[in-house]
């Protein structure tokens, strides 16, 4: 019996996939189809697969060509599979010519002609969401670089209300209304103080909104924005990149699964010395609380919820700007603290204390790619590694596209309750409620 194996994502199953499987089956007597897992796809840079793994497996199954379907989960699995299943022929489409020649040491390698004129990427791109950009702060360059990794969305152009013209090739709109006419969604990267007006205008014009964090620093305004978004069934998303990065999601799930027992304390630090960039940072994003507290608040709210019993702040000010701050929370059965700085430096780690052990995430924990679960008995310690791609913005962009496509208004990754609670903390701080200066 000749055993054949082939690999693919098989997203938005199309004729090219069908023909590939048909010919793969014809190469032998028994066909194994390996469908890539969502996580593995992300690891190899495929971020916007539309169909779930189960849907993709079902579509392969429906063709009737596969005798066995397996899941591809890691780099190097192909050699393991060939040995494990006693494979005689490995085959994939001609877009991979040469790439898998190294497998010929283990079995025959056949590249089948790819069906012309169709691909999952092409189908995904045929329903592109049109995105307009408002604002031209420095993060725009990184945003545009990361945008290249995301499909399902295209940029219609940019409107800059005050700053000099962007250096990019983007089409420039002279007023925001004409930008709204051409787009389905907007990315607003204006300084915090200028965001509200544009977010409100965009939502009232029926556009989905992605903005930088914190999305708002005033509770009344935050309520108004969230209400408009809900009533108009629009996505209003805060682009706090850590929330969307895969390792951070795994870390939260693991901590909540009980591996360290009950969580008693969360300590998160994010500190920077901005030096000569300090004034610019303050102009765009505010002091240490406004510009950085969103990161520690994210992990605290994710793990302990948003219903804290008490909150206190301590800040050190320079020229009226809080450059170093601490926030202490008391929850029912747990405490938490956040340290943020824009002109002081401390270890930027995250420690989650539990009754059975603790989780340690080294600096920079907000770009999580590695963490450890540690116990009294060090033999039980476990290390976890995950990939963090580029600047991390691609993860939030993919989520933005998905949320719009699937009509998911309250994003579970960063909920409306969490962003509203983050705004409440900042707003409370700005009202100087419970703040000690030192
Ligand atoms: N394939 C093919 N002809 C096409 C598209 C895909 O023969 N027009 C083959 C690929 O070469 C591969 C298998 O189908 O062996 C699964 O490919 P996959 O990457 O899942 O599909 P694509 O449409 O190429 O997906 P994407 O655009 O996301 O890369």
């Amino acid at each position: 019996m000749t055993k054949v194996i082939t690999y693919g994502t098989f997203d938005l199953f199309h004729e090219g996939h069908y023909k590939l499987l048909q010919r793969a089956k014809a190469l032998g007597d028994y066909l194994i189809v390996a469908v890539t897992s969502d996580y593995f796809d992300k690891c190899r840079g495929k971020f916007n697969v539309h169909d779930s793994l189960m849907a993709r497996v079902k579509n392969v199954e429906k063709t009737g060509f596969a005798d066995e379907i397996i899941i591809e989960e890691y780099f190097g699995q192909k050699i393991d599979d060939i040995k494990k299943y006693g494979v005689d022929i490995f085959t994939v489409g001609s877009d991979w010519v040469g790439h898998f020649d190294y497998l010929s040491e283990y079995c025959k390698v056949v590249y089948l002609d790819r069906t012309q004129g169709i691909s999952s990427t092409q189908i995904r791109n045929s329903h592109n969401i049109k995105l307009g950009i408002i604002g031209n702060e420095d993060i725009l360059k990184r945003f545009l670089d990361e945008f290249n990794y995301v499909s399902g969305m295209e940029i219609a152009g940019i409107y800059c209300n005050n700053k000099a013209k962007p250096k990019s090739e983007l089409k420039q709109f002279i007023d925001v209304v004409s930008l709204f006419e051409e787009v389905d969604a907007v990315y607003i990267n204006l300084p915090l103080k200028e965001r509200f007006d544009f977010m409100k205008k965009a939502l009232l014009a029926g556009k989905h909104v992605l903005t930088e964090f914190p999305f708002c620093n005033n509770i009344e305004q935050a309520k108004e924005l969230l209400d408009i978004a809900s009533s108009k069934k629009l996505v209003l998303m805060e682009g706090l990149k850590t929330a969307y990065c895969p390792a951070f999601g795994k870390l939260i799930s693991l901590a909540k699964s009980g591996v360290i027992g009950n969580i008693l304390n969360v300590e998160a630090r994010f500190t920077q010395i901005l030096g000569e960039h300090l004034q610019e940072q303050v102009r765009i994003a505010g002091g240490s609380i406004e510009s950085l507290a969103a990161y520690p608040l994210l992990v605290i709210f994710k793990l302990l919820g948003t219903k804290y019993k008490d909150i206190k702040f301590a800040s050190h000010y320079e020229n009226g700007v809080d450059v170093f701050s601490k926030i202490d929370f008391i929850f029912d059965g747990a405490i938490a603290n956040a340290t943020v700085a824009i002109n002081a430096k401390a270890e930027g780690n995250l420690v989650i204390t539990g009754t059975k052990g603790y989780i340690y995430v080294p600096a920079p924990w907000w770009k999580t790619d590695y963490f450890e679960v540690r116990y009294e008995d060090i033999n039980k310690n476990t290390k976890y590694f995950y990939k963090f791609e580029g600047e991390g913005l691609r993860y939030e962009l993919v989520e933005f596209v998905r949320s719009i496509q699937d009509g998911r208004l309250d994003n579970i990754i960063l909920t409306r309750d969490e962003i509203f609670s983050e705004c409440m903390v900042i707003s409370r701080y700005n009202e100087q409620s419970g703040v000690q200066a030192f």
Side-chain angles (χ1 to χ4, degrees):
M1 182 169 74
T2 306
K3 273 195 174 180
V4 182
I5 197 164
T6 191
Y7 292 77
T9 305
F10 302 103
D11 188 27
L12 299 164
F13 200 88
H14 55 69
E15 190 198 345
H17 295 144
Y18 185 90
K19 287 188 173 157
L20 185 285
L21 294 179
Q22 188 176 38
R23 284 171 296 151
K25 172 76 175 182
L27 289 174
D29 310 301
Y30 190 87
L31 177 65
I32 302 170
V33 181
V35 181
T36 50
S37 73
D38 295 336
Y39 183 67
F40 180 59
D41 268 328
K42 285 200 179 106
C43 287
R44 64 194 194 110
K46 246 185 169 170
F47 290 96
N48 36 18
V49 174
H50 181 271
D51 293 342
S52 69
L53 173 60
M54 288 316 289
R56 293 182 285 119
V57 167
K58 278 215 176 90
N59 285 333
V60 169
E61 203 172 19
K62 266 194 243 156
T63 64
F65 297 129
D67 296 286
E68 193 169 345
I69 299 175
I70 61 170
I71 308 301
E72 184 179 25
E73 291 174 289
Y74 58 89
F75 288 104
Q77 186 182 322
K78 292 184 177 71
I79 294 177
D80 291 349
D81 289 341
I82 291 168
K83 289 189 200 156
K84 181 170 162 189
Y85 296 100
V87 168
D88 304 290
I89 300 174
F90 167 92
T91 186
V92 279
S94 51
D95 41 326
W96 294 101
V97 166
H99 195 86
F100 293 109
D101 289 356
Y102 70 94
L103 295 174
S104 54
E105 194 183 313
Y106 304 91
C107 67
K108 189 171 167 192
V109 175
V110 176
Y111 298 103
L112 293 168
D113 282 344
R114 198 177 152 87
T115 305
Q116 292 307 306
I118 187 142
S119 75
S120 304
T121 306
Q122 198 180 320
I123 301 174
R124 282 193 294 261
N125 287 347
S126 63
H127 307 291
N128 269 358
I129 294 162
K130 299 225 167 13
L131 180 77
I133 297 174
I134 301 178
N136 180 26
E137 293 306 329
D138 294 343
I139 194 170
L140 183 62
K141 190 186 168 317
R142 269 186 282 162
F143 180 90
L144 295 176
D145 288 347
E146 293 270 311
F147 195 88
N148 293 327
Y149 295 90
V150 179
S151 64
M153 193 175 252
E154 66 188 82
I155 298 178
I158 184 166
Y159 166 70
C160 304
N161 60 338
N162 46 21
K163 247 194 153 186
K165 287 186 173 180
K167 288 184 195 81
S168 65
E169 301 296 304
L170 298 175
K171 173 177 169 185
Q172 310 255 340
F173 286 86
I174 46 164
D175 65 276
V176 79
V177 177
S178 43
L179 175 119
F180 289 153
E181 278 165 11
E182 287 195 27
V183 302
D184 310 297
V186 290
Y187 165 59
I188 300 178
N189 75 347
L190 293 164
L192 181 56
K193 289 180 189 64
E194 296 169 35
R195 269 177 225 161
F196 172 75
D197 282 345
F198 284 93
M199 278 196 278
K200 187 172 166 184
K201 275 185 198 154
L203 290 168
L204 288 174
K207 310 300 160 192
H208 302 284
V209 171
L210 169 66
T211 192
E212 282 304 314
F213 65 90
F215 84 110
C216 192
N217 59 358
N218 171 298
I219 304 180
E220 294 312 316
Q221 292 182 343
K223 260 197 205 122
E224 194 180 344
L225 293 173
L226 289 168
D227 285 348
I228 305 174
S230 298
S231 67
K232 290 192 155 271
K233 299 201 172 5
L234 294 167
V235 174
L236 168 56
M237 206 175 108
E238 180 178 294
L240 181 60
K241 64 174 187 278
T242 309
Y244 306 94
C245 99
F248 182 76
K250 304 266 179 205
L251 164 79
I252 298 296
S253 308
L254 197 73
K256 292 187 99 162
S257 73
V259 289
I260 55 164
N262 294 334
I263 297 171
L264 294 180
N265 188 16
V266 179
E267 290 173 84
R269 277 170 283 273
F270 189 150
T271 61
Q272 295 177 314
I273 295 181
L274 289 166
E276 62 190 59
H277 301 294
L278 182 67
Q279 287 318 315
E280 180 64 358
Q281 165 86 359
V282 170
R283 179 187 73 78
I284 301 169
S288 60
I289 294 279
E290 282 193 341
S291 64
L292 292 179
Y295 288 102
L297 292 180
L298 166 73
V299 65
I300 292 168
F301 291 158
K302 283 277 170 215
L303 293 174
L304 302 175
T306 54
K307 310 268 176 289
Y308 47 89
K309 296 201 303 194
D310 193 25
I311 181 169
K312 284 200 172 55
F313 304 87
S315 278
H316 178 68
Y317 293 84
E318 273 173 25
N319 304 321
V321 175
D322 57 295
V323 292
F324 175 87
S325 303
K326 255 178 173 271
I327 315 175
D328 284 305
F329 289 91
I330 298 197
F331 287 83
D332 209 3
I335 54 170
N337 76 65
T339 303
V340 285
I342 51 174
N343 230 8
K345 197 71 191 163
E347 169 76 7
N349 60 1
L350 164 67
V351 180
I352 305 162
T353 309
T355 50
K356 292 185 184 160
Y358 71 98
I359 297 179
Y360 171 73
V361 194
W365 69 265
W366 51 96
K367 288 186 176 183
T368 321
D369 59 0
Y370 160 73
F371 58 88
E372 286 185 37
V373 181
R374 295 177 178 170
Y375 298 97
E376 188 71 39
D377 175 0
I378 57 167
N379 297 312
K380 289 190 184 156
N381 289 1
T382 317
K383 297 179 179 181
Y384 294 84
F385 297 87
Y386 297 94
K387 217 169 166 201
F388 185 88
E389 296 280 351
E391 294 285 339
L393 297 177
R394 62 194 73 174
Y395 302 114
E396 71 189 44
L397 278 165
V398 167
E399 205 47 48
F400 188 48
V401 173
R402 281 254 176 87
S403 299
I404 295 172
Q405 283 171 342
D406 301 349
R408 269 192 279 128
L409 302 183
D410 196 3
N411 196 314
I412 195 165
I413 298 182
L414 191 53
T415 65
R416 289 189 168 174
D417 175 44
E418 284 159 354
I419 61 172
F420 184 69
S421 303
E422 168 196 286
C423 173
M424 275 196 20
V425 170
I426 294 169
S427 157
R428 200 166 169 154
Y429 178 79
N430 289 344
E431 286 161 12
Q432 290 289 295
S433 163
V435 182
Q436 278 280 338
F438 66 93

